[in-house]
Amino acid sequence: MNNGFAVSVLTRSHLRAEGYDSRRIKRALDAEQLTLLRRGAYARTSELQNLTAEEHAAVRARAYKAVAVQEPVFGYQTAAALHGLPLLQDDGLTHVISADARPGSGSRVVRHRGPVEYDDIVAVDGLLCTSLVRTVADVARTASTEAALSAADAALRSVAFRPPGSYDRDAAESLRTSALIAIGVNSPGRVRARNVLDFADGRAQLPGESISRLRLRQLGFAPPSLQVPIRGPGGKIYWVDFGLDDVDAWGEFDGMTKYRQLARAEGHSASAVVESEKRREDWIRGVTNRPLVRWGWSDVRDAATLGRRLNAFGIHPPR
C-alpha cells in the first residue's frame, strides 16, 4: 500500500502555475480529467483509479491539510489508514482531532473533541496523526467489532510478526497493554474495546483472517492455532492459517488479494499460484490426516454462513 502518496493533491495555486484559470478548471472537472477532493483541492482523476479504501482516506487527509488554516491532527479511521491499518470500508469521511473551542465540522469532516497528549501525536509522511497506540485504542472503541479487530490484529502484526512465522509476544503484549491504558476508564465503548484488544492477535495476516477468527469463536470453536508450520517436500515449510485443533481440522481464508500477493512475490501468474496451492493442500491433507477447508469473504459475512461452509465438510464445533 502506498497510503495514497502517489496521488498529487493540487490546490488552485498549483493549477494556476500549470496555466489553469477558473474556466479551464471547470472544463477539466466536467471532462472528469480533474476530481474535486474538497473545496480548493483537486487530483487528476486518472491517479485516483484503483485506490484502496485506505489510500482514498490518505488522499482526503492530504487534501484537507492542503487547504487547512491550521495544521490538522488526524485520528480514528483516518489515522488508521495513515498507519497502514486496514479499513473494511471507506466511510468517505476525514477524521480530525480538535480542541473543544474549535468550530464545527466542515464538509465530510468529523471533528473528535478532546485533548491529545503530545506523546500521542506522530508524523506519518508529513501528516500529523495520533500514534499507533492511540489510534488502535480509538478505533477499538468506535468501529464495528470486525473493523476494530482487523485494525488491532494489523497493528500487533506490524510490531510483532516477522515472516515467515516469527512472532514477538513481548512486543505484541507491550502494544496491547499500552492501547488498553489509552482507552481509559471512562471512555465510551471501553468494554467492547477491551474485548477486542484481549482477542487481537498479530499472527492473523489479513482482515479476512481476523474476521474468520471472530466467526469461529461465535460458532463455539476453541481459539485456533495461527500460522501453523507444516514440513513440506524438499525441506519446504507450508504455513496454514488456522489449526482447528479441537476438531482435528485445518482452515484457510482465501481472498484474491492473497493470490495476487503470492503471484507478485513468486513472479508467477495467479493461475500458477492456484495450481501450486492445490498441490500444497493435497500434501497437507496427506501428511496430517486432517481435512483442510477453505473459505472466502462471502463465507464470513456472519457466523451462520461460515458454520454452513464447515458443516458441508463434516466439521462442527465440539458439543
Side-chain angles (χ1 to χ4, degrees), residues 41-276:
Y42 307 81
R44 294 182 177 87
T45 303
S46 61
E47 295 182 358
L48 298 174
Q49 304 304 310
N50 302 317
L51 296 187
T52 65
E54 298 82 11
E55 290 163 351
H56 276 294
V59 169
R60 289 197 301 272
R62 292 176 55 226
Y64 183 83
K65 178 186 176 179
V67 297
V69 176
Q70 296 182 354
E71 180 82 10
V73 176
F74 298 101
Y76 295 78
Q77 284 86 345
T78 302
L82 295 176
H83 282 293
L85 305 183
L87 306 178
L88 292 187
Q89 61 183 15
D90 184 7
D91 62 8
L93 303 174
T94 299
H95 297 261
V96 297
I97 307 294
S98 295
D100 291 339
R102 290 293 305 279
S105 299
S107 175
R108 307 296 290 170
V109 174
V110 178
R111 294 190 184 279
H112 298 270
R113 312 291 183 178
V116 178
E117 299 295 331
Y118 177 80
D119 289 344
D120 282 338
I121 299 175
V122 298
V124 177
D125 291 310
L127 299 176
L128 296 183
C129 65
T130 51
S131 66
L132 181 64
V133 166
R134 172 66 186 264
T135 300
V136 169
D138 288 340
V139 171
R141 288 192 304 105
T142 59
S144 69
T145 301
E146 290 81 358
L149 182 61
S150 297
D153 281 358
L156 292 176
R157 182 168 66 248
S158 71
V159 301
F161 184 81
R162 297 295 177 267
S166 174
Y167 192 61
D168 187 337
R169 294 180 183 275
D170 290 340
E173 287 308 309
S174 177
L175 189 148
R176 189 197 317 273
T177 300
S178 297
L180 287 167
I181 293 171
I183 290 169
V185 296
N186 296 314
S187 301
R190 63 189 180 278
V191 174
R192 181 178 61 177
R194 288 170 181 163
N195 289 336
V196 165
L197 288 169
D198 285 342
F199 187 57
D201 193 312
R203 291 172 296 176
Q205 299 294 294
L206 296 166
E209 294 180 24
S210 299
I211 297 172
S212 295
R213 293 197 305 113
L214 178 63
R215 300 295 182 239
L216 289 168
R217 182 174 72 169
Q218 291 168 340
L219 287 167
F221 289 94
S225 302
L226 302 180
Q227 299 305 314
V228 182
I230 295 175
R231 187 169 298 280
K236 290 182 180 179
I237 297 294
Y238 291 141
W239 299 88
V240 182
D241 294 342
F242 305 105
L244 307 179
D245 301 321
D246 51 340
V247 293
D248 290 325
W250 304 110
E252 295 242 297
F253 176 81
D254 279 346
M256 286 312 297
T257 298
K258 175 187 288 188
Y259 288 122
R260 286 194 293 267
Q261 289 173 343
L262 286 170
R264 285 196 299 268
E266 299 177 6
H268 301 308
S269 67
S271 60
V273 169
V274 170
E275 180 61 31
S276 175

